Amino acid sequence: MQIKKAAMAGTLESSDAQVTVEPGNGTVELSIESSVIHQFGKQIKATVLETLNRLDVKDAKVTVVDKGALDCTLKARVECAVYRSNDITENLPWGGVIKS
């Protein structure tokens, strides 16, 4: 899936994450900010990249501001931001593309 415009999902509340996607420069560029980056940084990165891969996103700039979100929350935020970037607002395949 192509990232057509900048879009965001999530909040900066505790136990959530704010994910922003923007059109990229030919590759996936990922930036993560988290207070638990030293403990969970590898898992956050893996979850975000796996979700983008399942959505077939290969060209995007992705920024994650994590406030202690669980993997399921990260997946949902990435998925939502990608759909919003494509103006997909009806008949969303929630959970159809993204498997646990």
Side-chain angles (χ1 to χ4, degrees), residues 52-89:
L52 291 170
N53 186 51
R54 289 179 190 240
L55 290 167
D56 198 33
V57 174
K58 299 188 182 342
D59 182 15
K61 180 179 177 188
V62 181
T63 304
V64 177
V65 180
D66 172 61
K67 297 294 183 177
L70 298 173
D71 285 354
C72 58
T73 303
L74 286 168
K75 289 178 185 180
R77 298 308 188 206
V78 171
E79 187 176 22
C80 183
V82 170
Y83 289 148
R84 285 179 177 172
S85 79
N86 284 277
D87 289 321
I88 300 173
T89 59

Side-chain angles (χ1 to χ4, degrees), residues 30-32 37 40-52 64 71 74:
L30 177 58
S31 171
I32 300 171
I37 193 84
F40 300 107
K42 289 179 184 177
Q43 181 62 36
I44 294 167
K45 180 179 180 179
T47 299
V48 171
L49 292 177
E50 177 186 327
T51 305
L52 291 170
V64 177
D71 285 354
L74 286 168

Side-chain angles (χ1 to χ4, degrees), residues 16-38:
D16 201 354
Q18 188 175 72
V19 176
T20 306
V21 297
E22 301 174 73
N25 296 318
T27 186
V28 172
E29 180 184 333
L30 177 58
S31 171
I32 300 171
E33 178 185 318
S34 175
S35 58
V36 293
I37 193 84
H38 297 294

